Amino acid sequence: MNIILLGPPGAGKGTQARHLVESRNMIQLSTGDMLREAKDSGSEMGKIVADVMARGALVTDEIVIGLIREKLEGDTDHGGFIFDGFPRTLAQADALGALMQAQGETLDAVIEMRVDDTALVDRITARSTCGSCGEVYNDNTKPIPSDGKCSNCGGTEFKRREDDNEESLKTRLLAYYKQTSPLVGYYYAKDMLSVVDGLAKIDEVRSSIAKVLDA
Ligand code: AMP
């Protein structure tokens, strides 16, 4: 089963994707993670995207479609793909449809995680992740344990994303509403869209997503 998690930055896509990887043996394809890896490795592509990402703007369709194409051509022994942060434009959505068709795969569901904008600012500016396993923390709702160890893996290094600040977030939100939110209508018209309340508790969002997947 292949699905898209659609929603603005801070909607909880990464958190839910991580759970689906563990519980359903799915593969998380996060273009944001792939681009951050490229940036950290200092590759040519990483250098090209670094500035755009720090500002919170979108990198070119060509680059992200290329990244996804490579991953789709790999191993097929898994529970399906979770597209997280991709597609973000109509051109990417069309390209994904064509790539899936070429691989003989289908896109089974698009889950929009709906949240309001004030909550996003609060979530993003308070967000940090474990440097070892990627577990997501929030200064207010899920603080790093007082012993300084990640509750999932015991790691002791935590990091904040460079673009998790109010200034970049404004650009990221604008990019979402201008370029990505039309995908809600696009997938609705294709009869593939389901909406979950992204502001509900993590476990409740989990079960709403499970209901969609098991329907
Ligand atoms: P994310 O981790 O999904 O929030 O992505 C972080 C940043 O990577 C975004 O603000 C964009 O600069 C870039 N990015 C990630 N995915 C895409 C995409 N599908 N299309 C264009 N840019 C992307």
Side-chain angles (χ1 to χ4, degrees), residues 127-159:
R127 171 162 81 172
S128 59
T129 53
C130 169
S132 310
C133 74
E135 184 77 4
V136 183
Y137 291 93
N138 178 290
D139 297 343
N140 309 314
T141 54
K142 187 183 165 191
I144 293 166
S146 52
D147 63 2
K149 290 188 183 156
C150 171
S151 53
N152 186 46
C153 76
T156 52
E157 301 252 331
F158 299 89
K159 51 186 187 186

Short mmCIF file of all heavy atoms in Angstrom, two decimals, residues 127-159:
data_model
loop_
_atom_site.label_atom_id
_atom_site.label_comp_id
_atom_site.label_asym_id
_atom_site.label_seq_id
_atom_site.Cartn_x
_atom_site.Cartn_y
_atom_site.Cartn_z
N ARG A 127 10.21 22.59 18.50
CA ARG A 127 10.52 21.22 18.08
C ARG A 127 12.01 20.89 18.14
O ARG A 127 12.86 21.69 17.80
CB ARG A 127 10.03 21.06 16.64
CG ARG A 127 10.43 19.80 15.95
CD ARG A 127 9.57 19.54 14.74
NE ARG A 127 9.96 20.27 13.55
CZ ARG A 127 9.44 20.07 12.34
NH1 ARG A 127 8.47 19.18 12.19
NH2 ARG A 127 9.84 20.77 11.31
N SER A 128 12.33 19.68 18.61
CA SER A 128 13.70 19.18 18.48
C SER A 128 13.61 17.68 18.21
O SER A 128 12.56 17.07 18.43
CB SER A 128 14.53 19.46 19.73
OG SER A 128 13.93 18.87 20.85
N THR A 129 14.69 17.11 17.71
CA THR A 129 14.67 15.66 17.45
C THR A 129 15.92 15.00 18.02
O THR A 129 16.96 15.64 18.18
CB THR A 129 14.63 15.34 15.93
OG1 THR A 129 15.71 16.02 15.30
CG2 THR A 129 13.33 15.74 15.28
N CYS A 130 15.80 13.70 18.29
CA CYS A 130 16.95 12.94 18.75
C CYS A 130 17.92 12.79 17.58
O CYS A 130 17.51 12.41 16.47
CB CYS A 130 16.49 11.57 19.23
SG CYS A 130 17.87 10.45 19.52
N GLY A 131 19.19 13.09 17.82
CA GLY A 131 20.18 13.00 16.76
C GLY A 131 20.45 11.57 16.32
O GLY A 131 20.94 11.34 15.21
N SER A 132 20.11 10.58 17.15
CA SER A 132 20.38 9.19 16.76
C SER A 132 19.20 8.54 16.05
O SER A 132 19.37 7.92 15.01
CB SER A 132 20.69 8.32 17.98
OG SER A 132 21.64 8.94 18.76
N CYS A 133 17.99 8.66 16.63
CA CYS A 133 16.87 7.90 16.03
C CYS A 133 15.81 8.78 15.39
O CYS A 133 14.90 8.27 14.75
CB CYS A 133 16.23 6.99 17.09
SG CYS A 133 15.23 7.88 18.29
N GLY A 134 15.88 10.10 15.59
CA GLY A 134 14.92 10.99 14.94
C GLY A 134 13.63 11.18 15.72
O GLY A 134 12.70 11.85 15.25
N GLU A 135 13.53 10.58 16.93
CA GLU A 135 12.32 10.79 17.76
C GLU A 135 12.08 12.30 17.92
O GLU A 135 13.02 13.06 18.15
CB GLU A 135 12.54 10.13 19.13
CG GLU A 135 11.36 10.18 20.07
CD GLU A 135 10.25 9.17 19.73
OE1 GLU A 135 10.42 8.35 18.80
OE2 GLU A 135 9.21 9.22 20.40
N VAL A 136 10.79 12.69 17.76
CA VAL A 136 10.49 14.12 17.79
C VAL A 136 10.04 14.56 19.19
O VAL A 136 9.21 13.91 19.82
CB VAL A 136 9.36 14.45 16.77
CG1 VAL A 136 9.08 15.95 16.74
CG2 VAL A 136 9.74 13.95 15.38
N TYR A 137 10.61 15.65 19.68
CA TYR A 137 10.22 16.21 20.98
C TYR A 137 9.66 17.61 20.81
O TYR A 137 9.87 18.25 19.77
CB TYR A 137 11.45 16.26 21.91
CG TYR A 137 11.90 14.87 22.32
CD1 TYR A 137 12.87 14.19 21.60
CD2 TYR A 137 11.29 14.23 23.40
CE1 TYR A 137 13.25 12.91 21.95
CE2 TYR A 137 11.66 12.94 23.75
CZ TYR A 137 12.64 12.29 23.03
OH TYR A 137 12.99 11.01 23.37
N ASN A 138 8.93 18.07 21.83
CA ASN A 138 8.39 19.42 21.82
C ASN A 138 8.56 20.00 23.22
O ASN A 138 8.18 19.35 24.20
CB ASN A 138 6.90 19.37 21.44
CG ASN A 138 6.26 20.75 21.46
OD1 ASN A 138 6.07 21.34 22.51
ND2 ASN A 138 5.93 21.25 20.28
N ASP A 139 9.17 21.18 23.30
CA ASP A 139 9.47 21.78 24.61
C ASP A 139 8.25 21.84 25.52
O ASP A 139 8.37 21.71 26.74
CB ASP A 139 9.99 23.22 24.43
CG ASP A 139 11.29 23.25 23.66
OD1 ASP A 139 11.94 22.19 23.54
OD2 ASP A 139 11.65 24.33 23.15
N ASN A 140 7.06 22.02 24.94
CA ASN A 140 5.87 22.18 25.77
C ASN A 140 5.10 20.88 25.99
O ASN A 140 4.72 20.56 27.10
CB ASN A 140 4.91 23.19 25.12
CG ASN A 140 5.66 24.47 24.78
OD1 ASN A 140 6.42 24.99 25.59
ND2 ASN A 140 5.46 24.96 23.56
N THR A 141 4.90 20.13 24.90
CA THR A 141 4.00 18.98 25.04
C THR A 141 4.73 17.65 25.23
O THR A 141 4.18 16.70 25.75
CB THR A 141 3.11 18.84 23.79
OG1 THR A 141 3.99 18.80 22.64
CG2 THR A 141 2.17 20.02 23.64
N LYS A 142 5.99 17.56 24.78
CA LYS A 142 6.73 16.31 24.95
C LYS A 142 8.22 16.66 25.13
O LYS A 142 9.02 16.49 24.20
CB LYS A 142 6.52 15.43 23.71
CG LYS A 142 7.11 14.04 23.83
CD LYS A 142 6.93 13.26 22.52
CE LYS A 142 7.81 12.04 22.49
NZ LYS A 142 7.84 11.41 21.17
N PRO A 143 8.56 17.19 26.31
CA PRO A 143 9.94 17.65 26.50
C PRO A 143 10.94 16.49 26.51
O PRO A 143 10.57 15.35 26.81
CB PRO A 143 9.91 18.35 27.86
CG PRO A 143 8.64 17.95 28.50
CD PRO A 143 7.71 17.40 27.48
N ILE A 144 12.17 16.81 26.22
CA ILE A 144 13.26 15.82 26.31
C ILE A 144 13.30 15.33 27.77
O ILE A 144 13.21 16.15 28.69
CB ILE A 144 14.60 16.49 25.91
CG1 ILE A 144 14.56 16.86 24.43
CG2 ILE A 144 15.78 15.59 26.23
CD1 ILE A 144 15.64 17.81 23.98
N PRO A 145 13.35 14.00 28.01
CA PRO A 145 13.31 13.50 29.39
C PRO A 145 14.36 14.18 30.28
O PRO A 145 15.43 14.57 29.79
CB PRO A 145 13.63 12.01 29.22
CG PRO A 145 13.21 11.69 27.84
CD PRO A 145 13.44 12.93 27.02
N SER A 146 14.03 14.31 31.57
CA SER A 146 14.89 15.10 32.47
C SER A 146 16.28 14.47 32.64
O SER A 146 17.24 15.16 33.00
CB SER A 146 14.21 15.30 33.81
OG SER A 146 13.80 14.06 34.29
N ASP A 147 16.41 13.14 32.35
CA ASP A 147 17.75 12.54 32.45
C ASP A 147 18.58 12.81 31.18
O ASP A 147 19.71 12.34 31.05
CB ASP A 147 17.67 11.04 32.73
CG ASP A 147 16.98 10.26 31.61
OD1 ASP A 147 16.60 10.88 30.59
OD2 ASP A 147 16.84 9.03 31.74
N GLY A 148 17.98 13.58 30.22
CA GLY A 148 18.73 13.95 29.02
C GLY A 148 18.90 12.81 28.03
O GLY A 148 19.69 12.91 27.09
N LYS A 149 18.12 11.71 28.22
CA LYS A 149 18.24 10.57 27.29
C LYS A 149 16.96 10.40 26.49
O LYS A 149 15.86 10.47 27.05
CB LYS A 149 18.51 9.28 28.09
CG LYS A 149 19.89 9.26 28.70
CD LYS A 149 20.17 7.90 29.30
CE LYS A 149 21.53 7.91 29.99
NZ LYS A 149 21.65 6.92 31.02
N CYS A 150 17.12 10.11 25.21
CA CYS A 150 15.96 9.89 24.34
C CYS A 150 15.16 8.69 24.85
O CYS A 150 15.73 7.63 25.15
CB CYS A 150 16.45 9.62 22.91
SG CYS A 150 15.14 9.09 21.80
N SER A 151 13.82 8.86 24.95
CA SER A 151 12.99 7.78 25.50
C SER A 151 12.91 6.61 24.54
O SER A 151 12.58 5.49 24.93
CB SER A 151 11.59 8.31 25.78
OG SER A 151 11.08 8.94 24.63
N ASN A 152 13.23 6.83 23.29
CA ASN A 152 13.15 5.74 22.32
C ASN A 152 14.46 4.95 22.22
O ASN A 152 14.45 3.72 22.21
CB ASN A 152 12.78 6.32 20.95
CG ASN A 152 12.53 5.26 19.91
OD1 ASN A 152 11.82 4.29 20.17
ND2 ASN A 152 13.12 5.42 18.73
N CYS A 153 15.60 5.65 22.19
CA CYS A 153 16.86 4.92 21.93
C CYS A 153 17.96 5.21 22.95
O CYS A 153 19.04 4.63 22.87
CB CYS A 153 17.37 5.25 20.53
SG CYS A 153 18.11 6.88 20.42
N GLY A 154 17.69 6.12 23.91
CA GLY A 154 18.72 6.42 24.92
C GLY A 154 19.77 7.41 24.44
O GLY A 154 20.69 7.74 25.19
N GLY A 155 19.64 7.88 23.20
CA GLY A 155 20.60 8.86 22.65
C GLY A 155 20.64 10.13 23.50
O GLY A 155 19.65 10.46 24.17
N THR A 156 21.75 10.83 23.47
CA THR A 156 21.88 12.02 24.32
C THR A 156 22.09 13.30 23.52
O THR A 156 22.29 14.36 24.08
CB THR A 156 23.06 11.85 25.30
OG1 THR A 156 24.22 11.51 24.53
CG2 THR A 156 22.79 10.77 26.32
N GLU A 157 22.09 13.18 22.18
CA GLU A 157 22.27 14.38 21.34
C GLU A 157 20.92 14.75 20.74
O GLU A 157 20.26 13.89 20.15
CB GLU A 157 23.21 14.07 20.18
CG GLU A 157 24.57 13.61 20.60
CD GLU A 157 25.60 14.68 20.34
OE1 GLU A 157 25.40 15.46 19.40
OE2 GLU A 157 26.58 14.74 21.11
N PHE A 158 20.55 15.99 20.88
CA PHE A 158 19.29 16.45 20.31
C PHE A 158 19.57 17.64 19.40
O PHE A 158 20.50 18.40 19.65
CB PHE A 158 18.33 16.85 21.43
CG PHE A 158 18.01 15.69 22.32
CD1 PHE A 158 18.82 15.43 23.44
CD2 PHE A 158 16.98 14.81 22.03
CE1 PHE A 158 18.56 14.32 24.25
CE2 PHE A 158 16.73 13.70 22.83
CZ PHE A 158 17.52 13.46 23.95
N LYS A 159 18.79 17.75 18.33
CA LYS A 159 19.07 18.88 17.44
C LYS A 159 17.79 19.62 17.03
O LYS A 159 16.70 19.03 17.01
CB LYS A 159 19.86 18.43 16.22
CG LYS A 159 19.28 17.25 15.50
CD LYS A 159 20.21 16.76 14.40
CE LYS A 159 19.51 15.68 13.60
NZ LYS A 159 20.32 15.03 12.61
#
